[in-house]
Amino acid sequence: MPAQRSTTRIRLHPLGDAALLVELGTRLDTAVNTRAIALAAALKKRRDVRQALAGCASVTVHFDPEQTTHGALGSAIKRLATRRPPMDEPGRLHRIPVVYDGPDLDAVASALGLPAGRIVELHTQAIYRVFVVGFVPGWAYLGPVPEVLKLPRRSVPRTQVPAGSVAIAGQMTGIYPLPTPGGWHLIGRTSVRVFLPDSDPPCLLRAGDRVKFFAADR
Amino acid sequence: MDALRVEAAGMLATVQDLGRPNAVAAGVPPGGAMDRFAHSAANLLAGNDVRAATLECTLTGPRLVAERSCLVAITGADLDPRVNGQPAPMWAGIFLSVGDRLTLATRRSGARAYVAVAGGVVADRWLGSQATYLLAARGGMRGRALVAGDTIAAAATPGSPAVAGRELPRHLRPDYDDRVLHAVAGPHIDRLGRDGRHALFSSAFTVSHQADRMGYRLDGPALDTSGEELLSFGLTAGVVQLPAGGKPILLMADHQTVGGYPVIATVVRASLPIAAQLAPGDELRFAEVSIEEALRMRRAQESALDSLRN
């Protein structure tokens, strides 16, 4: 009985006096992420909910405490979450050109004991899922990256990473949308802009979308 | 219609409102006024809706000259406000005549003062809000802080004399010198262990110099968490996250929308105005509070604002 099993895995935590963190799982998993996105969409339709944001395997719900309580909303969330998860409809596929000349490419190659060319092959092989958009505007957490590319973050983060940098860390890869500090390994760069401040929504990639990188000369 | 001219900008003055809560799915922080209570009170005292934009003036205030007669209200931090050199009342509607000079100087208490103008400040709107978001250079005054020479427009309503002189009674104003932040235990508090939890709620912390509208890094007792890495999840203002290294970060209005550090506590909404009025070097404490008590504190603030509504 999968529905029941999934209920027991749901954990609810208050996030202050007007928000809840709903944990649906602890692993990076497309099915769990699909459920999170669907649950956030269902919750947004409720009158007592102000905002719901899906994480990798969770939903953060902001609600109106004059209309409901942590307990009442929590029960409703458990009921909603036991609904049969929706089919994972493949999101939009973005093909993104990358010049693989990042300042960390050689260090990544030597840390993994692979030639740089192999890093590029591996990085361009998979179709990545956008698990979450967030942290900074337009940043998309893409994954999972092939197991052999897994590396912890840099021990010393850079104070400034140029926009368009393509990076990896842990199970994830991503594109820096804005010049920001960052601790990921920079393996390449793209001319595709992922933060689109004059569009609404102001981002190219959305949760549930898919991304395929390909190597480009410039 | 131009209402105020910026003669000197002060340290950091930006246009803010109640933010853009619905842009988080794109990774855009909710933003808006750090001290929502002071922002809302300033608007109500100036005869505006709470959603109107105000000026948020940080630590050292601007010098503003009235381009036309207008009603203004100053709330939040006490930056020694003066009109033509004479001390001006705070938490009250005051009239400026053409050429009057409103000066906010240096901090006597709090960190952020709010200036509302009757009609509401009119500035760039981005994703449904006029709030300035400096990182993306959008919203407010062309996405940036005010600079000398800017003119601040306000919707053209004749400042109604009936509204001037109204004030928020002293006992309804926040006590910004009482630096206790009421907080609910966070989803990952168990990772702190019993001693860590005790330290969190019984020790003094100091706002470090890494403190801005995104959040404050806090100095204090060493805190350590155990456990495996977390997957990224949605965050909210007031969250106290604990990165490796043990220095907690209190997230504020322009906070990152998602993160993966353990959340050990969440400052409740009623305490965010107090948090907003802290500056580097200030000491604070966390006090654990029940959700019921947190909601009661919030309702008290709402009814204080209601007393300013007609």
Side-chain angles (χ1 to χ4, degrees):
Chain A
M1 289 195 284
Q4 258 186 6
R5 203 166 58 236
S6 62
T7 320
T8 54
R9 274 191 280 127
I10 294 174
R11 296 179 66 197
L12 299 165
H13 305 278
L15 214 49
D17 55 331
L20 276 170
L21 174 64
V22 185
E23 290 181 333
L24 300 175
T26 53
R27 289 227 200 92
L28 194 66
D29 179 287
T30 297
V32 176
N33 184 241
T34 302
R35 281 179 63 208
I37 293 170
L39 178 60
L43 284 168
K44 275 195 212 177
K45 292 180 186 147
R46 291 175 59 95
R47 284 190 52 179
D48 51 7
V49 168
R50 286 181 171 153
Q51 178 59 247
L53 179 65
C56 286
S58 62
V59 181
T60 296
V61 191
H62 295 261
F63 61 91
D64 178 2
E66 300 305 320
Q67 290 189 57
T68 187
T69 62
H70 284 74
L73 184 61
S75 305
I77 287 169
K78 283 190 172 169
R79 279 198 307 276
L80 277 172
T82 53
R83 283 194 192 160
R84 210 160 68 99
M87 291 286 291
D88 181 28
E89 289 175 26
R92 303 176 305 162
L93 177 65
H94 306 267
R95 286 175 45 81
I96 294 184
V98 178
V99 182
Y100 285 94
D101 62 356
D104 297 333
L105 183 63
D106 290 337
V108 166
S110 75
L112 295 172
L114 296 167
R118 182 69 187 135
I119 306 293
V120 176
E121 272 176 37
L122 287 163
H123 192 253
T124 50
Q125 225 166 50
I127 293 180
Y128 301 113
R129 176 184 177 84
V130 178
F131 278 86
V132 182
V133 175
F135 187 62
V136 293
W139 173 275
Y141 288 88
L142 306 170
V145 298
E147 197 68 22
V148 289
L149 286 185
K150 272 173 74 170
L151 266 184
R153 290 173 193 205
R154 286 166 55 89
S155 50
V156 182
R158 287 186 169 84
T159 50
Q160 191 84 319
V161 173
S165 299
V166 175
I168 56 171
Q171 292 175 275
M172 309 301 268
T173 181
I175 305 164
Y176 281 86
L178 288 161
T180 51
W184 291 30
H185 305 273
L186 312 183
I187 58 171
R189 61 195 155 89
T190 180
S191 55
V192 173
R193 293 188 347 196
V194 288
F195 175 51
L196 308 169
D198 299 312
S199 305
D200 191 0
C203 53
L204 177 70
L205 308 174
R206 301 177 207 164
D209 282 0
R210 295 168 305 148
V211 171
K212 178 98 161 64
F213 293 110
F214 66 94
D217 298 333
R218 48 185 288 274
Chain B
M1 203 177 158
D2 292 346
L4 299 166
R5 181 164 47 83
V6 180
E7 203 172 63
M11 193 179 116
L12 174 68
T14 56
V15 175
Q16 297 296 343
D17 60 13
L18 295 178
R20 43 183 76 82
N22 296 321
V24 288
V28 176
M34 294 272 278
D35 180 344
R36 305 288 225 239
F37 181 86
H39 160 88
S40 300
N43 268 326
L44 293 170
L45 289 162
N48 301 335
D49 188 277
V50 294
R51 289 167 299 185
T54 62
L55 305 179
E56 180 181 274
C57 311
T58 311
L59 291 175
T60 311
R63 205 158 67 226
L64 306 167
V65 179
E67 296 278 277
R68 60 171 164 90
S69 61
C70 55
L71 178 74
V72 300
I74 309 153
T75 62
D78 180 354
L79 303 183
D80 190 12
R82 286 164 187 266
V83 174
N84 301 330
Q86 297 301 309
M90 291 191 61
W91 303 94
I94 49 178
F95 256 113
L96 298 182
S97 303
V98 181
D100 277 352
R101 186 172 273 104
L102 169 62
T103 313
L104 300 179
T106 51
R107 167 186 210 216
R108 297 198 296 195
S109 83
R112 292 174 170 87
Y114 293 82
V115 179
V117 186
V121 170
V122 174
D124 293 353
R125 193 169 282 277
W126 184 55
L127 304 173
S129 161
Q130 297 184 86
T132 309
Y133 179 41
L134 295 171
L135 186 69
R138 288 294 186 284
M141 184 64 77
R142 280 168 246 147
R144 57 164 173 76
L146 300 186
V147 297
D150 282 343
T151 48
I152 293 154
T157 57
S160 149
V163 187
R166 191 155 56 146
E167 64 165 6
L168 183 69
R170 200 161 287 274
H171 70 276
L172 296 179
R173 301 176 196 174
D175 178 4
Y176 294 134
D177 294 325
D178 174 26
R179 291 164 182 165
V180 175
L181 304 183
H182 296 274
V184 174
H188 313 110
I189 184 120
D190 290 347
R191 292 179 172 227
L192 270 183
R194 224 172 50 192
D195 292 350
R197 184 181 181 133
H198 180 75
L200 173 65
F201 288 115
S202 66
S203 313
F205 292 85
T206 307
V207 178
S208 77
H209 284 276
Q210 288 171 280
D212 56 23
R213 285 183 41 88
M214 291 183 227
Y216 309 159
R217 197 173 273 263
L218 306 177
D219 290 324
L223 297 174
D224 248 319
T225 57
S226 54
E228 53 187 83
E229 266 187 47
L230 296 164
L231 295 171
S232 293
F233 53 93
L235 297 168
T236 178
V239 152
V240 181
Q241 51 173 214
L242 188 65
K247 284 192 192 303
I249 301 171
L250 169 61
L251 299 186
M252 298 299 292
D254 283 346
H255 63 82
Q256 59 192 72
T257 54
V258 303
Y261 293 130
V263 171
I264 52 176
T266 309
V267 173
V268 300
R269 293 173 304 155
S271 281
L272 287 178
I274 303 291
Q277 297 296 348
L278 296 170
D282 287 349
E283 203 169 83
L284 65 96
R285 284 169 186 278
F286 296 106
E288 196 167 4
V289 70
S290 69
I291 286 167
E292 292 69 28
E293 177 65 8
L295 292 174
R296 198 196 56 73
M297 291 163 60
R298 172 75 176 192
R299 285 185 193 116
Q301 291 177 357
E302 286 297 329
S303 62
L305 292 177
D306 279 341
S307 73
L308 296 176
R309 291 184 166 99
N310 282 320

